[in-house]
Amino acid sequence: MKYYIIFGPPGAGKGTQSVLIAKKYNFKHISTGALLRQEIEKRSEIGIIAKAVIEKGEFVSDDIVIEMVRKVLCNNEDSIKGYILDGFPRTLNQAVELDKVLESLGEKISAVLALVTDDEVNIRRIQHRANIEGRKDDADFDTIRNRIRTYHKVTEPLITYYKSQKKYKPVSGELSVEENFRDICKIIDSE
Ligand code: ADP
């Protein structure tokens, strides 16, 4: 089984590329943001906690997201060839716990596909997406700024973690969707 992480700041295009990757390679797409939004829709206990946090542009607790991902990964699916993790891990603790879950399954991360984009591009894309998807966390400029700030402070240090494991594979996220996808496929195909 293959385990890819798609990595990058909010607005870099992780979700868009994940859908294309999942379709082409027969991977299961796990988006922690989408899973959390489903919980919010259901008004579950997790959803109620997550809603307030997400709308402030802050992170949901590690325990909640790790457990959500662990459940999906441990629920053996024979019909797929791998997983594409989108929006997870976002903290060093999540990355360490993910490695532990995979180790318990006798597996490991195949590569970290990192979309490299400029903050201004990300902000423009999120503001554009706000009109299309109607996400509350996309609608407010301070929330967007907060998410990007948190990315630099808390998530970006993961680059060093994955570089030290020789898993970090950067591509420009500022090209067209097709060009970006082509560059990602080159990495996956060379594995
Ligand atoms: P984006 O990457 O554009 O911010 P996501 O859908 O991946 O969009 O995430 C939306 C929000 O969901 C995040 O801002 C955060 O509040 C929460 N979230 C998603 N994934 C995680 C995670 N791994 N850890 C903590 N919070 C998360």
Side-chain angles (χ1 to χ4, degrees):
M1 203 63 96
K2 295 284 189 186
Y3 296 86
Y4 286 97
I5 292 168
I6 188 132
F7 187 86
K14 300 185 296 291
T16 305
Q17 294 299 324
S18 296
V19 171
L20 297 172
I21 297 166
K23 186 156 183 259
K24 174 165 174 165
Y25 294 98
N26 189 22
F27 292 167
K28 188 179 177 77
H29 175 200
I30 308 179
S31 159
T32 43
L35 290 175
L36 289 165
R37 284 188 287 278
Q38 279 170 22
E39 295 297 326
I40 294 174
E41 279 286 302
K42 283 193 282 183
R43 295 174 204 272
S44 68
E45 210 175 310
I46 288 179
I48 291 162
I49 300 168
K51 188 175 189 306
V53 179
I54 290 176
E55 287 176 6
K56 276 192 274 178
E58 290 167 10
F59 282 175
V60 174
S61 79
D62 282 352
D63 291 352
I64 290 178
V65 283
I66 291 164
E67 184 52 21
M68 265 181 359
V69 173
R70 196 192 60 75
K71 262 194 205 146
V72 185
L73 292 179
C74 294
N75 181 14
N76 234 339
E77 288 195 45
D78 292 336
S79 58
I80 54 164
K81 293 224 158 33
Y83 295 86
I84 179 90
L85 293 167
D86 163 13
F88 180 92
R90 260 176 151 103
T91 65
L92 192 56
N93 182 34
Q94 290 177 17
V96 171
E97 290 304 316
L98 173 62
D99 279 348
K100 284 189 202 160
V101 172
L102 292 181
E103 202 185 329
S104 75
L105 297 168
E107 300 279 5
K108 57 182 175 5
I109 296 294
S110 309
V112 176
L113 310 163
L115 302 177
V116 180
T117 46
D118 188 82
D119 282 354
E120 296 314 311
V121 171
N122 301 327
I123 291 170
R124 266 205 308 279
R125 287 182 181 169
I126 294 173
Q127 287 174 325
H128 174 70
R129 184 171 70 187
N131 302 320
I132 300 169
E133 295 185 8
R135 275 171 52 178
K136 278 229 177 77
D137 59 339
D138 286 346
D140 178 69
F141 191 68
D142 286 341
T143 307
I144 299 172
R145 275 258 173 245
N146 197 17
R147 285 158 63 198
I148 292 185
R149 205 178 307 124
T150 308
Y151 167 79
H152 288 301
K153 209 167 117 195
V154 186
T155 307
E156 213 165 40
L158 292 184
I159 294 174
T160 313
Y161 181 77
Y162 288 115
K163 271 187 181 165
S164 74
Q165 296 187 3
K166 306 215 173 350
K167 301 269 166 74
Y168 182 74
K169 313 275 177 185
V171 297
S172 169
E174 295 189 356
L175 310 174
S176 69
V177 170
E178 294 75 21
E179 288 169 316
N180 198 341
F181 183 51
R182 180 203 59 203
D183 291 347
I184 289 174
C185 291
K186 270 191 211 153
I187 297 172
I188 297 178
D189 293 339
S190 69
E191 289 281 313

